[in-house]
Amino acid sequence: ISVANNDPAWSDSSGWKDISNYPTIQAIGVGNDLYLLARADAGMITLRHDRNTDKWVSVATNNPAWSDSSGWKDISNYSTIQAVGVGNDLYLLARADAGMITLRYERNTDKWISVANNDPAWSDSSGWKDISNYSTIQAVGVGNDLYLLARADA
């Protein structure tokens, strides 16, 4: 059975061969919904699978605007992007230059809502641009709780 074949059309010719884009593609199940998220040159894309049409529906496109021009082409940022399902909620987390960003998707408004900004303060200036730190960042949903773990220098 083919589900949403070649949809979305994230082809090499449309920029998805870019190393700062294709590794960010993630599929997440939350409740009875299936989501597909990725960072494109202009920012985040969030899609929800519509079972009735067997198509991906765009929700919260380029929100947040984690674009190339905003520094998200930097591997220490884009490689930390994680989508996590916790209970019936979808969360999006990433490490920016100033620290961690945590967002929760609000389906009734089709918007990402900020839950925590630069918290924890895993910033470039405090050593988190180091691959041995940022590459260990893990977001995990357990029951109705969201946990954030990482290895620091100490």
Side-chain angles (χ1 to χ4, degrees), residues 93-147:
L93 300 94
R95 193 202 76 84
D97 294 345
M100 288 299 297
I101 297 170
T102 305
L103 306 167
R104 184 181 63 244
Y105 175 68
E106 295 291 334
R107 184 170 175 170
N108 59 340
T109 62
D110 276 337
K111 299 218 182 273
W112 288 104
I113 306 300
S114 178
V115 175
N117 201 24
N118 300 330
D119 182 25
W122 293 343
S123 65
D124 288 0
S125 62
S126 60
W128 285 89
K129 193 170 177 87
D130 184 334
I131 191 170
S132 68
N133 293 336
Y134 74 75
S135 68
T136 69
I137 296 171
Q138 297 292 314
V140 182
V142 179
N144 289 317
D145 294 322
L146 176 63
Y147 293 92

Side-chain angles (χ1 to χ4, degrees), residues 4-112:
N5 195 22
N6 290 329
D7 176 32
W10 291 346
S11 65
D12 289 358
S13 62
S14 62
W16 286 93
K17 192 174 182 177
D18 184 338
I19 186 71
S20 68
N21 294 343
Y22 70 80
T24 67
I25 298 171
Q26 299 176 54
I28 303 294
V30 179
N32 291 323
D33 291 319
L34 176 62
Y35 292 90
L36 186 62
L37 295 94
R39 193 201 77 83
D41 292 346
M44 287 300 297
I45 296 171
T46 306
L47 306 171
R48 185 177 56 245
H49 185 257
D50 183 330
R51 292 181 190 187
N52 296 323
T53 63
D54 202 22
K55 299 280 183 195
W56 291 102
V57 177
S58 181
V59 295
T61 301
N62 292 338
N63 179 5
W66 293 346
S67 65
D68 287 1
S69 62
S70 298
W72 287 89
K73 194 171 180 83
D74 183 339
I75 190 169
S76 68
N77 295 339
Y78 76 77
S79 69
T80 67
I81 296 171
Q82 298 179 53
V84 180
V86 180
N88 287 319
D89 291 323
L90 175 62
Y91 288 88
L92 183 62
L93 300 94
R95 193 202 76 84
D97 294 345
M100 288 299 297
I101 297 170
T102 305
L103 306 167
R104 184 181 63 244
Y105 175 68
E106 295 291 334
R107 184 170 175 170
N108 59 340
T109 62
D110 276 337
K111 299 218 182 273
W112 288 104

